[in-house]
């Protein structure tokens, strides 16, 4: 089974993403591990169930808004670099949980598929890198709200 997985990873179908989760990395073939981006998710990196409704409400509102309307959140998020880093880290945790399908009942509220969730994580991660660099904090947060996908209402 691991050999078939390796063949698929080496020669993936076009536009494919693979997510491998393991608690024991040593049990995977070294050739598989060498072709993977390792992302350690620690136990303290989980979103608490109490935070979930607030995050779902916020992102549902943001994802349905036109990009120009999202700029209202920049001032709130871009108060200072430390708070922005902490806020972005929490949002990354939230979208990881959505991607991991931990809170299946809430995914239908946000209506994002796996590709959109990966896009959200990329935008959040790139924004966090910008915030940690010497770029204008407002410009970095503007990047977040401009690049996030939009859900069109039916």
């Amino acid at each position: 089974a691991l050999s078939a997985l390796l063949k698929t990873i080496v020669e993936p179908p076009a536009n494919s993403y693979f997510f491998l989760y393991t608690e024991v990395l040593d049990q995977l073939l070294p050739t598989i591990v060498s072709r993977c981006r390792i992302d350690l998710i620690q136990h303290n990196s989980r979103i608490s169930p109490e935070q979930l409704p607030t995050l779902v409400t916020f992102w549902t509102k943001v994802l349905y808004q036109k990009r120009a309307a999202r700029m209202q959140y920049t001032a709130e998020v871009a108060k200072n670099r430390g708070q922005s880093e902490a806020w972005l880290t929490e949002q990354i945790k939230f979208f990881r949980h959505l991607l991991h399908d931990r809170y299946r009942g809430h995914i239908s509220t946000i209506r994002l598929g796996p590709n959109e969730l990966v896009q959200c994580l990329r935008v959040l991660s790139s924004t966090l890198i910008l915030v940690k660099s010497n770029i204008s904090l407002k410009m970095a947060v503007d990047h977040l709200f401009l690049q996030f996908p939009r859900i069109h209402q039916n």
Side-chain angles (χ1 to χ4, degrees), residues 47-62 91 94 97-98 103 105-107 109-110:
I47 295 294
S48 71
E50 296 81 32
Q51 293 174 285
L52 195 60
T54 304
L55 291 168
V56 168
T57 300
F58 174 76
W59 284 110
T60 300
K61 186 169 34 173
V62 169
Q91 307 319 303
F94 172 65
H97 277 273
L98 290 181
Y103 299 104
H106 293 284
I107 291 177
T109 311
I110 295 181

Side-chain angles (χ1 to χ4, degrees), residues 58-71:
F58 174 76
W59 284 110
T60 300
K61 186 169 34 173
V62 169
L63 290 165
Y64 279 98
Q65 289 180 324
K66 292 182 178 176
R67 285 177 170 86
R70 297 173 181 182
M71 297 296 99

Side-chain angles (χ1 to χ4, degrees), residues 7-8 29 61 81 90 93 98 119 126 141 146 149 154:
K7 181 173 176 17
T8 305
L29 292 173
K61 186 169 34 173
R81 219 164 275 283
E90 286 300 307
K93 290 178 193 177
L98 290 181
Q119 181 185 356
S126 65
V141 177
L146 288 171
N154 296 334

